[in-house]
Amino acid sequence: MNGRPHVTLEDVARAAEVSLATASRALNGTTKVRADLRDRVVAAAEKLAYTPNAHAQALAGASHRTVGVICHDVSDPYFAAIARGVMRVAGDNGLLVMLASTFRDPQKEIAYVSMLRAQRASAILLIGSGFEDKTWEKALAAEIDPYRRGGGQVAVVSRHRSLRVDTVQPENREGAAALAKALLAQGHRRFAVLSGPRALTTVVDRLGGFRDGLAEAGIELAESDIVEAPFTRDGGYEAMNELIGRGLDSGCVFAVTDVMAIGALTALREAGISVPGQVSLAGFDDIPVVRDLDPPLTTVALPLEELGEKAMELAIKGNKGSRSRILRLAGEVVLRSSTAARR
């Protein structure tokens, strides 16, 4: 960040040695302000490079309230479904929503939070995974903490380890462990995992949970059985092709997100590998499209829209206490035709 302080109307009023109300009236062009006072306010605003903000004016007039929603990629059905839940609750409460995508760039996330803070959004929602990055954690907290002290509300979806904010947390680790046990019950014993970047807390939790579930049955998942790739459809396609190129010898492949599983399914089809005849394939999230795949995808179903609804409700209610609230929403293993019992 460039470190430039955000100039507020209070700063202008202080520099002009007038009341906040006088500064506001002067900059809004009202005729009820003496000419000499107006000149002082305008001069102070120019010196401080203050620009009246339309969102702040709307908030001050109570005609609209603005909520900023920051996600990793709004084109990903996972985030689109959560955002839909956010917008439903926001609309029911007369809130306007601004939506931004960071494309999993931690610096962009910080920049968007800073922008929303400057625009005095009434609430900020982060609906993507946190990052396993101490520098990012400190920089984000440096934006979030003063925003909250000023009355702004913050809620997040997924695990953000260092942020002391209200959280709606899908039980990623528990869901992945339950999926591992369900696949073991089908008779699978050799597994591979298509993993997103392990800098993301969601990947860490899902991979860790899957490993835990296998370990209870005495099965160890080796590092060579894990292929890391972008958290996208193309990432899943590339990771699956890498496994195939090595000489795929796993009976079951777990993609840590459904969009990766969709790419993996295409790669398997192109290679002439039958699903589930030769290889079983499972994902995580239960985005709507996976029910219509051929074959339909086994996955862990999360209540995606409810995640967004609960996060928005937390932000609307506010938190007057000193402790953050955490709501945990469980996933449910859904077995479909992409996995089958092994003989």
Side-chain angles (χ1 to χ4, degrees), residues 1-7 47-51 114 117-118 143:
M1 307 306 297
N2 58 21
R4 179 180 176 182
H6 170 56
V7 178
K47 182 177 180 181
L48 295 173
Y50 171 77
T51 302
S114 180
R117 176 186 165 198
E143 294 289 345

Side-chain angles (χ1 to χ4, degrees), residues 21-272:
T22 297
S24 177
R25 287 196 296 268
L27 292 176
N28 287 332
T30 180
T31 57
K32 295 181 179 180
V33 179
R34 289 193 341 240
D36 61 320
L37 295 180
R38 181 181 295 106
D39 291 344
R40 278 161 50 186
V41 171
V42 170
E46 291 177 350
K47 182 177 180 181
L48 295 173
Y50 171 77
T51 302
N53 182 277
H55 295 283
Q57 290 175 339
L59 286 168
S63 58
H64 294 292
R65 289 184 296 160
T66 305
V67 174
V69 177
I70 302 172
C71 71
H72 287 313
D73 184 357
V74 72
S75 67
D76 185 329
Y78 171 87
F79 294 109
I82 295 175
R84 182 175 179 180
V86 169
M87 290 180 178
R88 180 183 295 117
V89 175
D92 290 344
N93 287 272
L95 298 167
L96 297 178
V97 176
M98 293 190 298
L99 184 61
S101 293
T102 66
F103 300 103
R104 299 182 178 84
D105 181 341
Q107 295 307 311
K108 280 188 178 179
E109 185 163 76
I110 295 167
Y112 277 127
V113 170
S114 180
M115 178 194 73
L116 290 166
R117 176 186 165 198
Q119 291 181 341
R120 303 176 193 174
S122 59
I124 297 174
L125 273 62
L126 306 178
I127 62 173
S129 170
F131 295 90
E132 298 282 313
D133 183 333
K134 293 288 188 183
T135 302
W136 166 81
E137 289 176 357
K138 291 179 180 178
L140 187 60
E143 294 289 345
I144 292 290
D145 292 347
Y147 171 76
R148 294 182 65 221
R149 287 196 297 269
Q153 300 297 326
V154 178
V156 302
V157 173
S158 197
R159 183 168 65 86
H160 288 65
R161 181 174 54 189
S162 64
L163 295 182
R164 295 181 178 87
V165 297
D166 293 336
T167 302
V168 180
Q169 194 161 302
E171 294 190 336
N172 287 313
R173 193 176 191 99
E174 294 83 353
L179 177 63
K181 293 174 185 177
L183 297 172
L184 287 166
Q186 289 188 327
H188 295 286
R189 291 297 180 269
R190 295 188 60 82
F191 296 88
V193 176
L194 309 184
S195 163
R198 289 190 234 185
L200 296 172
T201 56
T202 295
V203 174
V204 171
D205 291 344
R206 292 181 182 182
L207 179 57
F210 196 74
R211 271 184 153 148
D212 290 346
L214 296 183
E216 287 188 22
I219 296 176
E220 182 179 354
L221 189 68
E223 280 299 313
S224 59
D225 296 323
I226 303 167
V227 182
E228 187 171 326
F231 221 28
T232 62
R233 177 267 176 204
D234 290 345
Y237 179 82
E238 294 163 6
M240 193 70 246
N241 275 327
E242 182 176 334
L243 273 180
I244 294 169
R246 293 180 190 174
L248 181 62
D249 62 356
S250 300
C252 185
V253 176
F254 167 48
V256 297
T257 179
D258 285 347
V259 292
M260 293 187 78
I262 291 170
L265 184 61
T266 300
L268 289 164
R269 183 181 298 117
E270 290 178 354

Side-chain angles (χ1 to χ4, degrees), residues 174-183 186 188 210 252-255 258 261 276 280-293 295-304 330-340:
E174 294 83 353
L179 177 63
K181 293 174 185 177
L183 297 172
Q186 289 188 327
H188 295 286
F210 196 74
C252 185
V253 176
F254 167 48
D258 285 347
S280 286
L281 177 67
F284 201 115
D285 291 329
D286 199 30
I287 58 176
V289 69
V290 300
R291 304 164 205 176
D292 301 320
L293 297 176
L297 186 69
T298 287
T299 189
V300 178
L302 291 178
L304 299 177
E332 179 183 357
V333 175
V334 179
L335 295 174
R336 298 194 180 104
S337 303
S338 68
T339 58

